[in-house]
Amino acid sequence: AQSVTQLDSHVSVSEGTPVLLRCNYSSSYSPSLFWYVQHPNKGLQLLLKYTSAATLVKGINGFEAEFKKSETSFHLTKPSAHMSDAAEYFCVVGGGVNTNAGKSTFGDGTTLTVKP
Amino acid sequence: EAGVVQSPRYKIIEKKQPVAFWCNPISGHNTLYWYRQNLGQGPELLIRYENEEAVDDSQLPKDRFSAERLKGVDSTLKIQPAELGDSAVYLCASSLEPQAGGAYEQYFGPGTRLTVT
């Protein structure tokens, strides 16, 4: 069984300040973890993924996430927010080694607002 | 490279009417997914195909929903009859076959926004 909890439904930051979107997961095995972004009226786009290699993962647009097994967390960060970062962000837990690798579970999303 | 194509983008129907959604995945992607996304929530998997085989349809309401993926490429999702609660965005995604390490990434289409009145 697997599940994912995004701890904040809404996050608001000022342009140029750091972004932190929090995600905790639960999994019976070593999972794959992903962050997707969804801009209004657009499809979901992959930001980054963790697949049991380096625990600090770098993604597109300056985002990165750190896998912390002891905390079962995979928080998304960015040093300096840009107006174009305003969107909905989804944390996803997927299958791992020797599991049903195709199964994935989405969190409920975090809406990021960036103020000028 | 063309992305995942879905049609129609928007559909408004009356309850009890049938409706169908079409998806064309990225060329070479063996795995195809249909999700339903309700307002303010994350996508929920309805069905997953590997080639022509539906390998996970546990969340598909089979009394009114059906899906097919003939020839392992395009897919159609149907609702008959539609209910008010079916109003949502229906997303199609595709990916390469899951790797041994469990790593895969899904590529999403723009979705079909269904409104049932």
Side-chain angles (χ1 to χ4, degrees), chain A residues 79-95:
Chain A
S80 175
H82 191 273
M83 295 297 292
S84 61
D85 294 328
E88 189 81 10
Y89 291 80
F90 293 96
C91 182
V92 182
V93 59

Side-chain angles (χ1 to χ4, degrees), chain B residues 1-116:
Chain B
E1 178 183 279
V4 176
V5 179
Q6 289 187 250
S7 68
R9 291 293 310 277
Y10 304 91
K11 189 74 175 179
I12 301 174
I13 61 171
E14 294 183 348
K15 63 181 180 182
K16 299 185 181 180
Q17 294 300 306
V19 64
F21 314 123
W22 175 80
C23 174
N24 179 246
I26 291 174
S27 177
H29 281 191
N30 298 330
T31 307
L32 184 145
Y33 314 75
W34 282 104
Y35 289 89
R36 177 170 57 191
Q37 185 176 19
N38 293 311
L39 190 64
Q41 298 181 13
E44 295 178 300
L45 181 70
L46 292 174
I47 189 168
R48 174 168 64 94
Y49 284 93
E50 288 186 12
N51 299 304
E52 301 92 349
E53 183 183 0
V55 296
D56 185 354
D57 63 355
S58 57
Q59 300 302 312
L60 189 72
K62 298 182 182 62
D63 57 335
R64 297 184 300 107
F65 285 65
S66 65
E68 60 182 14
R69 192 184 185 199
L70 301 176
K71 300 182 180 179
V73 182
D74 295 0
S75 178
T76 303
L77 178 69
K78 299 178 181 177
I79 308 174
Q80 182 170 12
E83 296 179 352
L84 294 176
D86 296 330
S87 295
V89 175
Y90 291 83
L91 297 167
C92 179
S94 70
S95 72
L96 295 170
E97 195 167 344
Q99 300 169 11
Y104 62 96
E105 54 191 78
Q106 298 175 51
Y107 295 81
F108 285 83
T112 297
R113 183 176 298 276
L114 173 66
T115 302
V116 182

Side-chain angles (χ1 to χ4, degrees), chain A residues 16-109:
Chain A
T17 64
V19 175
L20 170 64
L21 305 182
R22 299 182 296 165
C23 172
N24 285 355
Y25 71 92
S26 173
S27 178
S28 304
Y29 38 77
S30 296
S32 301
L33 292 159
F34 308 80
W35 276 98
Y36 286 84
V37 61
Q38 188 175 35
H39 287 94
N41 298 316
K42 292 195 174 181
L44 286 147
Q45 180 185 18
L46 180 70
L47 277 177
L48 49 81
K49 63 181 179 182
Y50 165 77
T51 58
S52 76
T55 56
L56 183 62
V57 181
K58 294 186 184 299
I60 61 172
N61 301 334
F63 284 94
E64 62 181 38
E66 186 173 7
F67 173 70
K68 292 187 177 180
K69 186 176 181 179
S70 61
E71 300 177 9
T72 60
S73 69
F74 190 58
H75 301 336
L76 182 70
T77 61
K78 182 173 181 177
S80 175
H82 191 273
M83 295 297 292
S84 61
D85 294 328
E88 189 81 10
Y89 291 80
F90 293 96
C91 182
V92 182
V93 59
V97 177
N98 297 326
T99 69
N100 185 351
K103 189 168 183 67
S104 59
T105 303
F106 281 71
D108 283 336

